Amino acid sequence: MLEPLARPLHLVLVSPQIPPNTGNVARLCAVTGCRLILVEPLGFSIDDRNLKRAGLDYWDKVFLRLYPTYEAYVAAYPDARRWLFSARAEQTLYEARFEEGDHLVFGSEVTGLLPEVMEG
């Protein structure tokens, strides 16, 4: 049985739409111990039947949380240090100084992070 890291990074996908992309992030989380947070709406189903059909048999190794809205996610982690990833960011990934327990927040592959997330 896997034991979670003391203060892992949290990878937050807000409204992901492409199942293989989410599957790749989930696999990364499974092997590194990072936490995966999915914020609905999702562009696919994560029920057992669909996961098995896609061959994603490592999902039982992923520390997953699912939230119905971005606001519900923020309420669950009010004091989290969040890094919002955007093509229009003022700071590059290479300038960031990540710390244990940080939340790395990514938007939909189609729309990116919505303005209310970027402004919040």
Side-chain angles (χ1 to χ4, degrees), residues 89-112:
E90 295 176 12
Q91 182 180 24
T92 72
L93 165 72
Y94 304 104
E95 296 170 316
R97 297 290 177 242
F98 301 113
E99 296 178 9
E100 290 182 11
D102 282 354
H103 289 225
L104 312 181
V105 182
F106 299 88
S108 163
E109 301 92 337
V110 178
T111 60

Side-chain angles (χ1 to χ4, degrees), residues 3-120:
E3 292 295 323
L5 299 174
R7 296 203 54 218
L9 291 174
H10 293 69
L11 301 184
V12 182
L13 305 183
V14 179
S15 192
Q17 299 298 303
I18 302 174
N21 290 353
T22 301
N24 288 334
V25 173
R27 185 172 30 255
L28 173 70
C29 290
V31 300
T32 62
C34 291
R35 302 285 171 92
L36 177 60
I37 295 173
L38 299 179
V39 178
E40 295 178 307
L42 309 179
F44 49 88
S45 174
I46 59 169
D47 68 23
D48 277 346
R49 185 177 53 108
N50 286 324
L51 293 175
K52 286 180 179 149
R53 186 180 324 133
L56 302 179
D57 56 357
Y58 49 82
W59 274 81
D60 63 332
K61 315 250 183 317
V62 176
F63 302 103
L64 174 67
R65 293 286 182 261
L66 182 65
Y67 292 94
T69 64
Y70 187 75
E71 293 76 19
Y73 151 69
V74 170
Y77 299 94
D79 299 323
R81 249 176 51 122
R82 291 180 183 80
W83 295 88
L84 307 179
F85 286 77
S86 167
R88 294 167 290 287
E90 295 176 12
Q91 182 180 24
T92 72
L93 165 72
Y94 304 104
E95 296 170 316
R97 297 290 177 242
F98 301 113
E99 296 178 9
E100 290 182 11
D102 282 354
H103 289 225
L104 312 181
V105 182
F106 299 88
S108 163
E109 301 92 337
V110 178
T111 60
L113 288 170
L114 297 176
E116 54 267 23
V117 172
M118 295 295 289
E119 294 165 4

